[in-house]
Amino acid sequence: MTQKHVVPSQMTAIEVINPGSQSQLQQVTVAVPVLKAGQVLVKVAAAGINRADLLQRSGLYPPPAGESDILGLEVAGTVVAVADDVSPEWLEQTVFGLVPGGGYAQYVAMSAEHLIKKPATLGMSEAAACAEVFLTAFQAMRVVGHLPYQGALLVHAGASGVGTAAIQLGKAMGCFVAVTVGSDEKAKACLALGADCAVNYKTHDFSAELKAARPQGFDLIIDPVAGEYIAKDIQLLALDGQIVVLSMLGGRMTPELDLGLMLKKRGQLLCSTLRSRTDGYKSALISDFSQQFGKALAEGKIKPVLAQSIDWSEAERAHQLLASNAVVGKLVLTLF
């Protein structure tokens, strides 16, 4: 291991106590991660909060085998040590990126191939809000799904972190972008980001509204809701359209589907996750994203929507805020 400064052997991290419906978060002292081949050690300045964190503390989304059970799937910070097979040029670089776990801590081990240099246009909190949302949206749109340039994109939960990222990527591709949201305030926020159509599903029949807005249908639908939404998605699909399911906020069971309509449209129903992907897959995903949208990110033409930065001593409050569905964009824990 190569380092320029002394790295402590112990660190503070946030641990889940009593995983399940009565779980709590508590700061504890644990060992600083030992680097494996190909890794760097990052001193964490900020960590993104994701719904996967809420699921994990509930006992429903365990980390991949062999990975840290500390919460946190994305961080921003400074590289303070590198494994022997990693270029020492990474030392003292400010970076952000994905981790399979361990982000809610003072130090985290990351694959060097998963590092993204922090643009000067982003602060640490903004950088910590980038990786999961933009890579998830990009994966759904361009890797798992195949949204054409100047096509039509529908995003459910459009005011979420992934939703706000997808809006920006879709507009950068010259697409017609529509979203569904849960409040008029969220609709306004999405329109301000560039969405062409935003429907409040609590006050309007989004299926009818979207059919009127886009009679020819949508080439790609990003759906973190599932449940009864799937049948409506099929009705809204364009010919050869794709539905990409990212989560099941509306339930894992779906009512009876009209596969005849799906067949008539030559539609595809796809499901995708990111955390459980291989390191090689993530490396390729990051490389492809950087090639296609890295310049736009560096120039500030696309950027994360940061709802709020919260000191990590208030992690419990931050989780409650996310669970309330009251925010637009991302919540981030700050350690600086």
Side-chain angles (χ1 to χ4, degrees), residues 43-48 74-77 103 124-129 332-336:
K43 184 176 182 180
V44 178
E74 59 185 331
V75 299
M124 283 294 194
S125 292
E126 289 180 308
V332 167
L333 296 178
T334 56
L335 282 70
F336 53 84

Side-chain angles (χ1 to χ4, degrees), residues 9-267:
S9 60
Q10 300 286 304
M11 67 176 184
T12 302
I14 295 177
E15 187 175 75
V16 177
I17 307 299
N18 299 321
S21 60
Q22 302 299 317
S23 65
Q24 294 180 316
L25 302 179
Q26 177 177 299
Q27 289 197 355
V28 295
T29 300
V30 297
V32 170
V34 176
L35 293 184
K36 301 175 184 176
Q39 290 186 331
V40 305
L41 188 69
V42 172
K43 184 176 182 180
V44 178
I49 301 174
N50 294 282
R51 288 197 175 274
D53 303 337
L54 304 185
L55 289 172
Q56 182 175 328
R57 66 177 290 183
S58 296
L60 300 175
Y61 194 37
E67 302 294 350
S68 173
D69 60 2
I70 294 170
L71 300 179
L73 302 181
E74 59 185 331
V75 299
T78 304
V79 177
V80 294
V82 300
D84 292 338
D85 60 340
V86 174
S87 170
E89 292 182 2
W90 279 112
L91 286 171
E92 299 188 344
Q93 293 277 353
T94 52
V95 298
F96 68 97
L98 296 174
V99 291
Y104 291 15
Q106 290 178 307
Y107 296 90
V108 68
M110 293 181 61
S111 167
E113 292 186 347
H114 297 171
L115 295 173
I116 304 172
K117 290 184 179 180
K118 184 184 76 64
T121 52
L122 295 178
M124 283 294 194
S125 292
E126 289 180 308
C130 269
E132 185 74 21
V133 297
F134 276 109
L135 291 172
T136 297
F138 175 74
Q139 176 186 235
M141 295 164 63
R142 301 292 295 161
V143 180
V144 176
H146 302 288
L147 177 66
Y149 277 77
Q150 299 182 332
L153 171 68
L154 169 60
V155 185
H156 294 304
S160 66
V162 172
T164 53
I167 291 169
Q168 295 177 74
L169 296 183
K171 295 311 297 180
M173 293 173 60
C175 294
F176 178 91
V177 179
V179 300
T180 63
V181 293
S183 71
D184 290 343
E185 178 188 2
K186 290 181 177 181
K188 290 177 182 177
C190 290
L191 292 171
L193 275 177
D196 299 283
C197 177
V199 182
N200 181 348
Y201 66 84
K202 291 183 178 179
T203 57
H204 294 77
D205 178 349
F206 76 77
S207 185
E209 294 276 334
L210 293 173
K211 282 180 182 178
R214 184 75 182 181
Q216 61 269 59
F218 293 88
D219 300 299
L220 186 79
I221 299 174
I222 297 178
D223 188 348
V225 182
E228 63 180 17
Y229 271 40
I230 300 298
K232 295 180 180 180
D233 290 343
I234 294 174
Q235 294 176 6
L236 293 167
L237 271 186
L239 190 65
D240 294 314
Q242 298 173 302
I243 303 164
V244 181
V245 176
L246 300 181
S247 186
M248 301 175 292
L249 298 176
R252 60 189 300 168
M253 306 303 293
T254 185
E256 289 186 1
L257 295 179
D258 183 356
L259 288 180
L261 181 58
M262 192 74 161
L263 190 63
K264 182 179 179 180
K265 292 186 174 184
R266 299 194 297 266

